[in-house]
Amino acid sequence: MSEIRGPVLLYDGTCGFCASIVKFVLNREHARRDLQFAHLEGPIASELMSRRPELKSEDSVIWYERASTGQPERVLIRFAVALRVAEYIGGPWAFLAAMGRLVPSAIGNAGYDLVARHRHRIAGRDRCVIPTAEQRPRFLDLE
């Protein structure tokens, strides 16, 4: 298993919609390219959920950042993940994230939950992410 070096997007490895989100990020991210990826079904998510039992009900995507000097561990779920991913991608997506922060979290989470509840019907189950050789080290559960 690779070492966590930066933020990690944990995603449902059995969900075509979640795989599409990972591909979307990989195709649009700018210079940073420090976001790593791992399945919710893998050891990194299991370890995180063993420490944070409130996350066990999360089944689509989770944004995770390890604690670092002067910064506590950061875990985002639901609508907050969508905003953080858009911010990470940058460009016009960062502007959309800024506008999204004006939406009350209850409304944003309700919209997120609606999509998450139907995500398997939207995109199916059997779409996997096949990273390029350059991207492969960023996928923590492939090794």
Side-chain angles (χ1 to χ4, degrees), residues 46-82:
S46 293
E47 192 277 327
L48 176 62
M49 290 179 189
S50 71
R51 291 186 293 106
R52 307 278 300 260
E54 72 276 13
L55 296 175
K56 289 186 180 182
S57 64
E58 297 303 320
D59 66 350
S60 56
V61 291
I62 297 173
W63 180 279
Y64 170 69
E65 294 178 36
R66 290 174 51 173
S68 61
T69 308
Q71 298 295 320
E73 177 179 76
R74 184 177 184 194
V75 178
L76 302 174
I77 58 172
R78 301 169 70 203
F79 187 56
V81 174

Side-chain angles (χ1 to χ4, degrees), residues 110-128:
Y112 177 91
D113 291 344
L114 179 66
V115 172
R117 190 170 32 256
H118 299 287
R119 71 186 188 276
H120 292 293
R121 278 186 263 165
I122 294 169
R125 291 185 178 269
D126 294 337
R127 275 195 202 158
C128 57

